[in-house]
Amino acid sequence: MKQVSNMANTSNGSLATLLILFTISAAIHTGAAQFSVQSQNLIADNISVVEGETATISCRVKNNDDSVIQLLNPNRQTIYFKDVRPLKDARFQLVNFSDNELRVSLSNVSLSDEGRYVCQLYTDPPQEAYADITVLVPPGNPIIESREDIVREGNETEITCTSMGSKPAATIKWMKGDKELQGKSKVEATYDRMFTVTSWLRFTVTREDDGVPVVCIVDHPAVKDFQAQKYLEVQYKPEVTIKVEFPQGLIREGENLELTCQVKGKPQPHQVNWVRVDDEVPSHAVITGSDLFIENLNKSYNGTYRCVVSNSVGETYADYILYVRDSQAGPEAQRLDHAVIGGVVAVVVFAILCLLIVLGRYFARHKGTYFTHEAKGADDAADADTAIINAEGGHNNSDEKKEYYI
C-alpha cells in the first residue's frame, strides 16, 4: 500500500511539472506573439473625395515582418490580397505594393462607395486599421431671385438665394457691393442624403443702391467662388440743381440771364416747371424745357426763381435768387464802394480820437484846478518868497501877522 501511494505521488508530481512547463511555454509563445504584434504598426488615413473624382486608399505598415496586407471594402469583401485583386471592380487599381504599403486607387467615386474600408495585416492575432471615405457632392448653380424687380427708395426689398443638391450642406453669405450683409438660412435634407439650403436677405434700399450688385456666395468644401448676383434697380425722386449759364459774377441792369435746371432721377423726370416765388415770371421770359432765359434785366425782376421737377416717385425743386444791380455796378463801382466804406471808417476813427483828446484835457484841467485852489493866495504875491509864504500859510497867516503889527 505504501508503494502504491508513492507511485501515485510520483505520477501526480510529473503531471504537475508538465502543466507548469506547458503554462510557461504558452506564456512565452503568447508574449512572443504580443511582442510581434506590438512591433508592427498598421496605419490608414480617412479620405474626402468629390463625387466623380478618384480616391486613393493607403495601408501602411511599420516594421513589417513579411506579414500579408489586404484591403477590404465596407461589406468586408476583399478588394486586394497582397497584389492580387479578387473583387471584380475595375475601378480599383493597384498603385503600389511592397512589404510596407498597399496603395489602391478608386476612380469615378459615387455616393455608394462611401463607407469604412479595412486595412488588414495577417499577424497573430490580425491587425486592422480603417480608412473612412467621405464623398462630397458639390451644389448645383445657386438660384437668386428678388421679390420685385424694381424698388422705390425707402422701401424694403427681399432677395432669396437657393443652393440645391449638395453634401454636406452648403453655407451662404451675402455681399452688397463691398459690404457684407447678414441673411437668414434654412437647411433641408432630401431623401438621397443631399441638402438644400435657402437664404433670405432683407434690407431697405436707398438711391445709392441703384445699379449695385447683390451677390449670393455659396461656400462648400467641394467648390470655390461659387456665386450668383443680381443688380438692384431703385427708383427715386429727382435731384435738382440750377446752373447759371450767363452772366458770370455780378448781374447788372440791361444784361441777359440764362438758367439751366439740371435734373437726375429714376425714372427720368417727365415734367420741369419754372416759377417765380410770390410773383409772376416776367412776360417776356422764354422757357425751353429745363432752360429759363430773361433778357434786358432790371431791378423789378429781382426775386426767387424756382425749378420744380417731378416723376412717378415724387416732386422736388431748387431755388435761384436773382439780384440785379445798377448798370454802373462794375469793378469801378466796387472800388468806389470800398473807398466810401474806407472813408466812413476813417471818419469814425478820427471822431473817436478827438473824443479821447477832449476827455483827456477835461480830466487834466480838473486835476490842475485842485492844486491851484490849494495854493490860492500865491497868485497876487510880489515875489517868489511871498508866494511861498502865502501858499504855505494862506490868508490866515497873513492876518495873524497883520494883527501882530497892530
Side-chain angles (χ1 to χ4, degrees), residues 9 111 114 128 170 187 203 237 259 262 280 342 345 371:
N9 291 335
L111 276 176
E114 193 173 61
E128 290 186 351
V187 179
F203 62 95
K237 66 181 182 179
L259 305 177
Q262 297 180 327
E280 297 290 334
V345 171
F371 286 115

PDB file of all heavy atoms in Angstrom, residues 9 111 114 128 170 187 203 237 259 262 280 342 345 371:
ATOM      1  N   ASN A   9       2.002   9.406  -5.892  1.00  0.00           N
ATOM      2  CA  ASN A   9       2.563  10.741  -5.644  1.00  0.00           C
ATOM      3  C   ASN A   9       3.521  11.126  -6.738  1.00  0.00           C
ATOM      4  O   ASN A   9       3.588  12.280  -7.174  1.00  0.00           O
ATOM      5  CB  ASN A   9       3.263  10.766  -4.287  1.00  0.00           C
ATOM      6  CG  ASN A   9       2.258  10.662  -3.122  1.00  0.00           C
ATOM      7  OD1 ASN A   9       1.099  11.027  -3.296  1.00  0.00           O
ATOM      8  ND2 ASN A   9       2.717  10.168  -1.980  1.00  0.00           N
ATOM      9  N   LEU A 111     -21.646  58.060 -54.476  1.00  0.00           N
ATOM     10  CA  LEU A 111     -22.123  58.001 -53.097  1.00  0.00           C
ATOM     11  C   LEU A 111     -22.162  56.574 -52.561  1.00  0.00           C
ATOM     12  O   LEU A 111     -21.974  56.350 -51.364  1.00  0.00           O
ATOM     13  CB  LEU A 111     -23.521  58.621 -53.005  1.00  0.00           C
ATOM     14  CG  LEU A 111     -23.593  60.150 -52.856  1.00  0.00           C
ATOM     15  CD1 LEU A 111     -25.039  60.602 -52.874  1.00  0.00           C
ATOM     16  CD2 LEU A 111     -22.904  60.613 -51.592  1.00  0.00           C
ATOM     17  N   GLU A 114     -19.181  55.328 -50.480  1.00  0.00           N
ATOM     18  CA  GLU A 114     -18.885  55.916 -49.179  1.00  0.00           C
ATOM     19  C   GLU A 114     -18.976  54.851 -48.092  1.00  0.00           C
ATOM     20  O   GLU A 114     -19.840  53.967 -48.130  1.00  0.00           O
ATOM     21  CB  GLU A 114     -19.870  57.048 -48.890  1.00  0.00           C
ATOM     22  CG  GLU A 114     -19.483  57.932 -47.738  1.00  0.00           C
ATOM     23  CD  GLU A 114     -20.416  59.132 -47.630  1.00  0.00           C
ATOM     24  OE1 GLU A 114     -21.627  58.913 -47.440  1.00  0.00           O
ATOM     25  OE2 GLU A 114     -19.939  60.265 -47.742  1.00  0.00           O
ATOM     26  N   GLU A 128      -6.065  45.459 -37.668  1.00  0.00           N
ATOM     27  CA  GLU A 128      -6.915  46.179 -38.608  1.00  0.00           C
ATOM     28  C   GLU A 128      -6.763  47.702 -38.402  1.00  0.00           C
ATOM     29  O   GLU A 128      -6.602  48.159 -37.275  1.00  0.00           O
ATOM     30  CB  GLU A 128      -8.387  45.798 -38.433  1.00  0.00           C
ATOM     31  CG  GLU A 128      -8.710  44.387 -38.876  1.00  0.00           C
ATOM     32  CD  GLU A 128     -10.203  44.086 -38.823  1.00  0.00           C
ATOM     33  OE1 GLU A 128     -10.954  44.919 -38.288  1.00  0.00           O
ATOM     34  OE2 GLU A 128     -10.615  43.010 -39.316  1.00  0.00           O
ATOM     35  N   ALA A 170     -24.325  73.270 -47.827  1.00  0.00           N
ATOM     36  CA  ALA A 170     -23.518  74.459 -48.104  1.00  0.00           C
ATOM     37  C   ALA A 170     -23.890  75.569 -47.124  1.00  0.00           C
ATOM     38  O   ALA A 170     -24.920  75.510 -46.438  1.00  0.00           O
ATOM     39  CB  ALA A 170     -23.741  74.922 -49.538  1.00  0.00           C
ATOM     40  N   VAL A 187     -31.895  74.900 -43.748  1.00  0.00           N
ATOM     41  CA  VAL A 187     -31.313  73.707 -44.363  1.00  0.00           C
ATOM     42  C   VAL A 187     -32.357  72.603 -44.382  1.00  0.00           C
ATOM     43  O   VAL A 187     -32.979  72.311 -43.346  1.00  0.00           O
ATOM     44  CB  VAL A 187     -30.056  73.250 -43.602  1.00  0.00           C
ATOM     45  CG1 VAL A 187     -29.473  71.996 -44.234  1.00  0.00           C
ATOM     46  CG2 VAL A 187     -29.012  74.370 -43.579  1.00  0.00           C
ATOM     47  N   PHE A 203     -33.475  94.167 -46.681  1.00  0.00           N
ATOM     48  CA  PHE A 203     -32.869  95.454 -46.333  1.00  0.00           C
ATOM     49  C   PHE A 203     -33.645  96.578 -47.008  1.00  0.00           C
ATOM     50  O   PHE A 203     -34.381  96.357 -47.973  1.00  0.00           O
ATOM     51  CB  PHE A 203     -31.388  95.502 -46.741  1.00  0.00           C
ATOM     52  CG  PHE A 203     -31.147  95.359 -48.210  1.00  0.00           C
ATOM     53  CD1 PHE A 203     -30.995  96.467 -49.026  1.00  0.00           C
ATOM     54  CD2 PHE A 203     -31.072  94.105 -48.795  1.00  0.00           C
ATOM     55  CE1 PHE A 203     -30.773  96.340 -50.389  1.00  0.00           C
ATOM     56  CE2 PHE A 203     -30.852  93.948 -50.154  1.00  0.00           C
ATOM     57  CZ  PHE A 203     -30.703  95.078 -50.947  1.00  0.00           C
ATOM     58  N   LYS A 237     -36.975 109.942 -56.371  1.00  0.00           N
ATOM     59  CA  LYS A 237     -37.438 111.233 -56.874  1.00  0.00           C
ATOM     60  C   LYS A 237     -36.247 112.076 -57.324  1.00  0.00           C
ATOM     61  O   LYS A 237     -35.113 111.830 -56.916  1.00  0.00           O
ATOM     62  CB  LYS A 237     -38.276 111.958 -55.832  1.00  0.00           C
ATOM     63  CG  LYS A 237     -37.540 112.377 -54.585  1.00  0.00           C
ATOM     64  CD  LYS A 237     -38.511 113.062 -53.630  1.00  0.00           C
ATOM     65  CE  LYS A 237     -37.820 113.566 -52.369  1.00  0.00           C
ATOM     66  NZ  LYS A 237     -38.768 114.241 -51.460  1.00  0.00           N
ATOM     67  N   LEU A 259     -30.657 130.452 -67.100  1.00  0.00           N
ATOM     68  CA  LEU A 259     -30.532 129.436 -66.061  1.00  0.00           C
ATOM     69  C   LEU A 259     -30.886 128.076 -66.639  1.00  0.00           C
ATOM     70  O   LEU A 259     -31.814 127.954 -67.444  1.00  0.00           O
ATOM     71  CB  LEU A 259     -31.447 129.747 -64.877  1.00  0.00           C
ATOM     72  CG  LEU A 259     -31.301 131.113 -64.207  1.00  0.00           C
ATOM     73  CD1 LEU A 259     -32.343 131.258 -63.106  1.00  0.00           C
ATOM     74  CD2 LEU A 259     -29.897 131.277 -63.646  1.00  0.00           C
ATOM     75  N   GLN A 262     -30.660 121.438 -63.877  1.00  0.00           N
ATOM     76  CA  GLN A 262     -30.031 120.131 -64.066  1.00  0.00           C
ATOM     77  C   GLN A 262     -30.724 119.106 -63.176  1.00  0.00           C
ATOM     78  O   GLN A 262     -30.828 119.302 -61.971  1.00  0.00           O
ATOM     79  CB  GLN A 262     -28.538 120.213 -63.749  1.00  0.00           C
ATOM     80  CG  GLN A 262     -27.781 121.147 -64.680  1.00  0.00           C
ATOM     81  CD  GLN A 262     -26.296 121.230 -64.353  1.00  0.00           C
ATOM     82  OE1 GLN A 262     -25.907 121.126 -63.194  1.00  0.00           O
ATOM     83  NE2 GLN A 262     -25.480 121.428 -65.371  1.00  0.00           N
ATOM     84  N   GLU A 280     -45.066 136.763 -60.542  1.00  0.00           N
ATOM     85  CA  GLU A 280     -45.153 136.128 -61.845  1.00  0.00           C
ATOM     86  C   GLU A 280     -43.800 136.180 -62.550  1.00  0.00           C
ATOM     87  O   GLU A 280     -43.023 137.122 -62.373  1.00  0.00           O
ATOM     88  CB  GLU A 280     -46.199 136.842 -62.712  1.00  0.00           C
ATOM     89  CG  GLU A 280     -47.617 136.769 -62.173  1.00  0.00           C
ATOM     90  CD  GLU A 280     -48.186 135.370 -62.270  1.00  0.00           C
ATOM     91  OE1 GLU A 280     -47.735 134.611 -63.155  1.00  0.00           O
ATOM     92  OE2 GLU A 280     -49.079 135.041 -61.463  1.00  0.00           O
ATOM     93  N   GLY A 342     -14.155 152.897 -46.724  1.00  0.00           N
ATOM     94  CA  GLY A 342     -12.910 153.264 -46.051  1.00  0.00           C
ATOM     95  C   GLY A 342     -12.971 154.668 -45.481  1.00  0.00           C
ATOM     96  O   GLY A 342     -12.478 154.937 -44.371  1.00  0.00           O
ATOM     97  N   VAL A 345     -15.050 154.693 -42.306  1.00  0.00           N
ATOM     98  CA  VAL A 345     -14.281 154.115 -41.205  1.00  0.00           C
ATOM     99  C   VAL A 345     -13.260 155.126 -40.678  1.00  0.00           C
ATOM    100  O   VAL A 345     -13.071 155.291 -39.462  1.00  0.00           O
ATOM    101  CB  VAL A 345     -13.587 152.808 -41.664  1.00  0.00           C
ATOM    102  CG1 VAL A 345     -12.619 152.321 -40.582  1.00  0.00           C
ATOM    103  CG2 VAL A 345     -14.623 151.742 -41.977  1.00  0.00           C
ATOM    104  N   PHE A 371      -5.097 171.681  -7.462  1.00  0.00           N
ATOM    105  CA  PHE A 371      -3.836 172.109  -6.871  1.00  0.00           C
ATOM    106  C   PHE A 371      -3.752 173.626  -6.800  1.00  0.00           C
ATOM    107  O   PHE A 371      -3.216 174.180  -5.864  1.00  0.00           O
ATOM    108  CB  PHE A 371      -2.657 171.557  -7.678  1.00  0.00           C
ATOM    109  CG  PHE A 371      -2.449 170.094  -7.449  1.00  0.00           C
ATOM    110  CD1 PHE A 371      -2.629 169.202  -8.473  1.00  0.00           C
ATOM    111  CD2 PHE A 371      -2.080 169.620  -6.189  1.00  0.00           C
ATOM    112  CE1 PHE A 371      -2.446 167.867  -8.258  1.00  0.00           C
ATOM    113  CE2 PHE A 371      -1.892 168.281  -5.984  1.00  0.00           C
ATOM    114  CZ  PHE A 371      -2.081 167.391  -7.019  1.00  0.00           C
TER     115      PHE A 371
END
